[in-house]
Amino acid sequence: MREVTASQGIMLESTSTRLCEAGGVHYGSPDKDPAARLEVLRLAGELRVPFTTGILIGIGETRAERLEALRAIAALHAEHGHIQETIIQNFRAKPATKLAEAEEPDLEDLLWTIAAARVILGAEANIQAPPNLSPGVYQRLVAAGLNDWGGVSPVTQDHVNPEAPWPALEALAARTAEGGKVLVQRLPAYPAYARAPEAWLAPAVATLVRQASDAEGWARGDSWSPGETTPPTLPAARLTRADAGLARLVERGAAGARLEAPDIMHLFAARDADHAHVTAAADALRRAVSGETVRYVVNRNINYTNICTYRCTFCAFSKGKTHEALRGPAYDLDHGEIVRRAVEAWDRGATEVCLQGGIHPDYTGDTYAGICAAICAVLPEMHIHAFSPLEVTQGAATLGLSLHDYLARLKAAGLGTLPGTAAEILDDEIRAIICPDKVNTAEWLAVARTAHGLGLRTTSTIMYGHVETSKNWARHLLALRDLQAETGGFSEFVPLPFVHMEAPMYLRGLARRGPTFREAVLMHSVARLVLHPHITNIQTSWVKMGPAGAALALQAGANDLGGTLMNESISRAAGTQHGQEFPPDAMESLIRSIGRHPEQRTTLYGAVPEERKQASYAAAELTAVVQTAPRRKPALAG
């Protein structure tokens, strides 16, 4: 059964053997023998099956016998860790049964038992009571210690108690909110088990759970994934105010205090009024720091090769040297083609070319320096934003140079700034899963630190929504904050939600479907609060969030819309539906639609000369998308 189920369960009902004797409610039902049921619970623990159990009250047992049953459940869970939920179910009399005339337990008896279960099973336990059996008293059940309503179906009746209809989900959410709690949909496996599928779930089932879960292990709650065209509408808050503890954390972050990892995880868990409070506070902080201006840069992406010796499990862009698959064949652009694209970008008003590619087995440090020199020879005013820390590390190693000496050589060749990509998640616990042969966290930070020391500023990024949790997000943000406090060299922070569609680890069933929309918006908000006051620019990715999603991120703490790109290959290879270019007029229209002021910027957030602006606007009128020309070696005028 474990091979085809995410969880299983059996009600213990009672450990009282007295109920199995003549005259007892379980007499004549050998499968109700407490020893038999306890053995099922024990075997489930040995087999690592997330398991549901519970007790049935009001069937002739005493309160002392209830406590005995709860202690037996607690002991089994202490040994195996597999009891994911304990149900406290109140008996309902049925015609034509032994207890047809029996008195049902009253509300006070039910509340006493829920409270006893909470005391015995502990704060982390999940305790349930069916809401249809206690209509109208939801708040009292919650106050007694309940934290789960169990299975509530909008399409089927309660077959055990057909006379008791399920509450409508909207009504249940409203009544739950009246008790100061938020109703959150869960999966058959609770979050603790969904977050550790390798330990608790069969491989085929684990894939389905991953695809259906968010970073905390709850049900995703919406069908959106990064790269899709239309974001969902975030539900309106039902609670009237945010949690006081969360509000204090938000206040500390906005004041510039360094939050600790558990604090940051608390912010990432925000829902309902808490979510609204975090996003509103982040937007207010954005307004205080950068005003009502939203900036963007006119640039062009040039991915000079998609041939890569690394096998990062999240990457749908790189290919082997001779591999042809989805999204076209392997390629390696020569200097002439790279320069041609840079010249074309300059003619269309670009102030920056962003250069990144795979780690080609034939590339050396001279290759990267040569690319910079080739562009500078023709376009000395073009800003070259190029080479992730992985490319820098590889280039330095091939020449036997230190990071300092190699970065100094790149700077002399014309390198202006570095993109802070290849960061993915700056936590080696996750890097060991998604990119084990790549630079580790300390190595990535060392490249950034060295670059900053040479006056080369870098961006910073996070790629989230795959196998990591909010714990790893917190560690990542703190690593960036601490380095920025040391060097001041990061120009901006760019959240990059994982685009799953063609990613190898998703296709193998090993990753989530990217972050949920709630999580994607929160990443911008929490980053604003956690990185303040050290990183002042939070950029949103229109390629991954989509224009509508990016607009919402700009109202939740972000203040930058990134680059027009002209050619975007990496996200499109992963499956995003958004176009390759977002021209200046479209960017400015989007920015004005949310009541903000657009402003073209340079890579380092400086003012753009008027003639450059006019060139970009004129080019946008001619074409919305640049079609990349066939590879060739053009003659360049001397």
Side-chain angles (χ1 to χ4, degrees):
M1 291 296 289
R2 187 178 189 275
E3 298 299 313
V4 294
T5 59
S7 62
Q8 299 174 43
I10 187 170
M11 289 289 283
L12 176 58
E13 294 196 5
S14 177
T15 52
S16 173
T17 57
R18 182 176 56 79
L19 300 180
C20 297
E21 297 171 355
V25 69
H26 290 159
Y27 180 68
S29 300
D31 62 310
K32 297 280 190 174
D33 182 347
R37 297 210 164 198
L38 288 168
E39 178 66 1
V40 172
L41 288 167
R42 185 188 69 79
L43 291 172
E46 288 186 356
L47 291 168
R48 306 286 279 174
V49 177
F51 220 69
T52 293
T53 190
I55 63 173
L56 183 60
I57 69 170
I59 54 175
E61 82 293 346
T62 66
R63 283 189 169 183
E65 288 169 335
R66 292 180 201 170
L67 300 180
E68 178 187 338
L70 290 169
R71 283 192 286 267
I73 293 169
L76 284 163
H77 182 68
E79 183 175 0
H80 301 291
H82 69 304
I83 304 298
Q84 64 167 7
E85 130 190 62
T86 300
I87 303 170
I88 309 300
Q89 182 154 342
N90 43 323
F91 162 75
R92 298 290 291 266
K94 300 287 189 298
T97 65
K98 288 183 180 180
L99 299 185
E101 304 301 323
E103 184 178 356
E104 297 176 351
D106 62 19
L107 176 61
E108 294 304 320
D109 203 16
L110 175 61
L111 296 175
W112 181 90
T113 309
I114 292 172
R118 176 58 68 198
V119 171
I120 291 171
L121 298 176
E124 299 301 317
N126 296 302
I127 297 175
Q128 178 204 135
N132 59 319
L133 300 187
S134 303
V137 293
Y138 298 156
Q139 294 179 44
R140 296 193 65 185
L141 298 180
V142 170
L146 174 146
N147 72 308
D148 193 288
W149 293 124
V152 179
S153 173
V155 293
T156 58
Q157 64 180 3
D158 179 348
H159 294 293
V160 176
N161 298 286
E163 78 285 355
W166 297 115
L169 294 178
E170 282 296 311
L172 185 60
R175 300 293 83 75
T176 303
E178 290 171 1
K181 306 293 183 182
V182 178
L183 186 67
V184 178
Q185 184 181 353
R186 62 170 171 84
L187 300 171
Y190 276 73
Y193 306 92
R195 290 198 307 267
E198 297 82 3
W200 291 101
L201 304 172
V205 176
T207 292
L208 297 174
V209 168
R210 287 189 192 97
Q211 293 174 353
S213 68
D214 65 14
E216 295 177 272
W218 300 108
R220 288 185 67 86
D222 60 59
S223 60
W224 180 85
S225 287
E228 295 180 354
T229 53
T230 306
T233 301
L234 291 171
R238 292 182 180 276
L239 301 183
T240 57
R241 60 184 175 183
D243 172 72
L246 177 134
R248 286 192 293 272
L249 292 177
V250 167
E251 186 175 356
R252 290 184 60 223
R258 185 186 187 278
L259 302 179
E260 297 301 325
D263 303 330
I264 299 168
M265 292 167 65
H266 192 173
L267 298 181
F268 277 123
R271 295 173 185 268
D272 200 83
D274 288 354
H275 183 278
H277 185 80
V278 170
T279 55
D283 197 46
L285 182 57
R286 179 273 310 162
R287 189 178 302 110
V289 170
S290 63
E292 298 297 342
T293 299
V294 175
R295 294 172 177 84
Y296 68 94
V297 61
V298 178
N299 66 349
R300 182 173 193 171
N301 265 25
I302 302 177
N303 302 121
Y304 39 79
T305 184
N306 64 350
I307 298 170
C308 190
T309 59
Y310 288 82
R311 291 292 177 266
C312 301
T313 60
F314 57 84
C315 182
F317 172 72
S318 68
K319 304 186 186 305
K321 195 169 182 180
T322 60
H323 181 66
E324 291 197 21
L326 290 173
R327 313 290 176 184
Y331 64 82
D332 178 21
L333 304 182
D334 58 31
H335 286 185
E337 177 60 16
I338 293 171
V339 171
R340 186 197 69 78
R341 296 187 187 194
V343 169
E344 188 174 61
W346 180 263
D347 291 343
R348 300 185 71 233
T351 58
E352 169 198 302
V353 284
C354 179
L355 297 148
Q356 295 180 94
I359 306 300
H360 195 294
D362 298 336
Y363 279 20
T364 70
D366 290 332
T367 308
Y368 303 117
I371 290 172
C372 291
I375 294 172
C376 271
V378 178
L379 296 169
E381 295 182 71
M382 179 70 86
H383 185 99
I384 300 176
H385 180 63
F387 314 134
S388 72
L390 177 61
E391 291 162 293
V392 171
T393 301
Q394 187 255 0
T398 63
L399 300 180
L401 295 176
S402 68
L403 289 175
H404 179 278
D405 290 349
Y406 183 57
L407 282 164
R409 180 174 174 181
L410 289 175
K411 183 178 181 181
L415 180 65
T417 52
L418 283 75
T421 47
E424 327 319 348
I425 297 292
L426 292 175
D427 187 341
D428 289 338
E429 173 185 294
I430 300 302
R431 300 183 81 78
I433 300 171
I434 67 173
C435 52
D437 55 350
K438 220 169 184 178
V439 291
N440 61 30
T441 298
E443 290 167 336
W444 190 97
L445 293 169
V447 173
R449 179 181 289 108
T450 305
H452 298 170
L454 284 163
L456 288 168
R457 299 195 70 185
T458 74
T459 64
S460 58
T461 65
I462 186 172
M463 193 269 289
Y464 63 105
H466 35 89
V467 302
E468 81 301 348
T469 68
S470 60
K471 172 185 70 176
N472 311 111
W473 298 345
R475 292 172 178 173
H476 183 108
L477 291 176
L478 287 174
L480 295 179
R481 178 192 168 95
D482 291 345
L483 182 57
Q484 181 74 343
E486 174 189 338
T487 69
F490 289 127
S491 58
E492 70 233 59
F493 173 70
V494 191
L496 301 172
F498 171 59
V499 179
H500 72 282
M501 293 80 163
E502 302 292 345
M505 65 180 175
Y506 176 79
L507 296 176
R508 291 199 293 268
L510 302 177
R512 301 194 301 278
R513 295 194 296 111
T516 65
F517 192 67
R518 180 189 69 86
E519 292 168 337
V521 172
L522 267 181
M523 180 60 74
H524 297 79
S525 301
V526 175
R528 170 64 70 185
L529 294 164
V530 172
L531 300 176
H532 179 70
H534 301 293
I535 298 179
T536 57
N537 295 305
I538 307 296
Q539 184 183 122
T540 186
S541 170
W542 61 264
V543 174
K544 294 175 169 59
M545 294 292 290
L552 290 171
L554 288 170
Q555 298 170 82
N559 68 302
D560 193 274
L561 198 48
T564 58
L565 298 184
M566 297 191 193
N567 294 106
E568 198 291 320
S569 303
I570 296 174
S571 295
R572 286 181 62 79
T576 180
Q577 299 176 34
H578 304 299
Q580 296 187 64
E581 180 177 12
F582 204 19
D585 58 342
M587 279 207 169
E588 297 198 358
S589 177
L590 175 66
I591 293 165
R592 289 192 179 97
S593 74
I594 59 172
R596 307 272 278 283
H597 310 303
E599 183 177 290
Q600 219 181 112
R601 63 169 173 85
T602 65
T603 305
L604 291 173
Y605 289 82
V608 175
E610 192 61 32
E611 64 271 16
R612 291 278 79 211
K613 290 183 183 179
Q614 294 308 315
S616 66
Y617 297 145
E621 292 177 1
L622 295 175
T623 178
V625 178
V626 173
Q627 299 295 333
T628 303
R631 182 183 175 200
R632 58 189 175 91
K633 296 181 178 179
L636 297 177

